[in-house]
Amino acid sequence: MDGALPVAPLLGLVLAGGRSTRMRTDKAALAYGGRNQLERAMELIAPHVGRAYVSVRADQSAEPLRARFPQILDLHENLGPIAGLLAAQARHPHAAWLVLACDLPLLDERTLAQLVRCRAPQRTATAYRSSHDGLPEPLCAIWEPRSAAPLAAYVAAGRQCPRRFLLSADIELLDEPNPRALDNINTPEEYRSAMSELLPAATVAAKRVTVQYYALLREQSGRREEALTTRARTAAELYAELARRYPFTLAPELLRVAINAEFRDWSTPLAEGDAVVFIPPVAGG
């Protein structure tokens, strides 16, 4: 015997108690590839835990989608996702909890498996470091039993942000193997973007767009503007397609993209009739 404490059993909690205010429809029911988000999250988490539950508000318990799964009802109102974790810890105080938000359509098995494999049960929690801001991601994380008392005290003091709690806790912080895996989807625009990314390119309908070129891109393409038919789903995919056709030497991160006269993100979905402009950096300085 080496005196090590026994490792707490791992249970799963999929958070589906939100009000989906910004999405304007139930995020748990949004479909990706023929499955809704809640079904997909439960399928992902199940192999890694002894039993998986759905975290819901009391008024959601009879909703048909959530009623299909074992549930843990929130014990507190208006606390956001931390209410689900508190209720789970009260229900099974000696368990560790693999907590997963239901609105992570880009989450993959590899990311979840690495989290479980790298679990540090001697710490308060094991979490990923966000690829966007470097802060801990609390809604794809393992919370150990030792987190329950300080988390309850944190909420009793009037605080409710699980990320801020993790910032001051003793946690194991991991790098994401897939930097997009923990992107959550909160708005219709983000949903369309995720759908575009997940849909195989071959199944995307061809669309007609116009592209304008400036400065070095104009020189390298040999044209100011062209109309073309593409199956590219996003501005990033369109630029990659054009870079295979023309001898472009500028990486996307050196450019800005405008769609229909507005600067947009590279992940913005393209639509029929869009006017796209790739803008190189200004020369000189």
Side-chain angles (χ1 to χ4, degrees):
M1 298 291 291
D2 58 9
L5 295 174
V7 175
L10 186 61
L11 300 179
L13 187 71
V14 174
L15 300 171
R19 299 183 185 277
S20 304
T21 305
R22 284 181 287 169
M23 184 62 73
R24 302 191 295 275
T25 190
D26 184 7
K27 288 193 292 184
L30 288 175
Y32 293 91
R35 292 178 299 167
N36 60 60
Q37 288 204 112
L38 182 54
E39 289 174 332
R40 182 176 183 273
M42 290 294 283
E43 289 175 8
L44 276 172
I45 204 172
H48 301 286
V49 298
R51 191 179 191 194
Y53 298 85
V54 177
S55 168
V56 300
R57 303 190 314 270
D59 62 332
Q60 295 173 312
S61 61
E63 186 273 319
L65 174 58
R66 291 166 175 79
R68 293 168 46 194
F69 303 103
Q71 298 179 356
I72 294 181
L73 273 60
D74 290 354
L75 302 176
H76 305 272
E77 295 183 0
N78 302 318
L79 284 185
I82 208 167
L85 178 55
L86 289 174
Q89 291 177 326
R91 175 89 164 263
H92 294 287
H94 301 297
W97 288 94
L98 172 52
V99 174
L100 186 64
C102 79
D103 58 347
L104 303 174
L106 305 182
L107 180 65
D108 54 352
E109 168 62 24
R110 177 187 174 200
T111 298
L112 207 53
Q114 177 170 303
L115 178 67
V116 175
R117 185 173 63 253
C118 296
R119 174 188 175 189
Q122 75 281 8
R123 296 196 160 186
T124 301
T126 302
Y128 278 117
R129 178 185 292 107
S130 169
S131 61
H132 299 293
D133 57 20
L135 300 177
E137 290 285 0
L139 305 186
C140 181
I142 296 174
W143 296 73
E144 299 295 337
R146 67 179 66 240
S147 69
L151 189 64
Y154 176 82
V155 172
R159 292 171 287 183
Q160 61 187 65
C161 176
R163 172 174 280 188
R164 290 187 180 277
F165 173 84
L166 290 180
L167 281 171
S168 60
D170 175 31
I171 67 171
E172 185 78 6
L173 204 53
L174 312 173
D175 291 324
E176 298 178 45
N178 172 3
R180 296 293 310 280
L182 303 186
D183 289 0
N184 62 343
I185 305 302
N186 292 309
T187 66
E189 293 74 22
E190 291 172 347
Y191 174 62
R192 287 193 291 271
S193 178
M195 285 289 290
S196 176
E197 184 163 339
L198 290 168
L199 196 63
T203 68
V204 176
K207 61 187 74 68
R208 191 78 171 167
V209 301
T210 59
V211 183
Q212 293 181 346
Y213 304 101
Y214 288 91
L216 182 60
L217 296 183
R218 180 181 295 175
E219 296 176 17
Q220 293 176 334
S221 65
R223 62 196 68 208
R224 294 173 179 269
E225 180 177 324
E226 66 177 320
L228 53 90
T229 299
T230 181
R231 292 185 184 275
R233 296 166 293 188
T234 64
E237 289 188 7
L238 178 60
Y239 186 75
E241 177 183 314
L242 293 168
R244 293 190 292 269
R245 183 183 308 176
Y246 303 121
F248 290 163
T249 56
L250 294 175
E253 55 265 27
L254 298 177
L255 307 173
R256 298 191 72 182
V257 61
I259 301 175
N260 302 326
E262 293 185 7
F263 286 116
R264 304 300 297 270
D265 188 87
W266 282 93
S267 62
T268 300
L270 295 177
E272 176 71 25
D274 278 349
V276 183
V277 184
F278 297 112
I279 305 170
V282 177

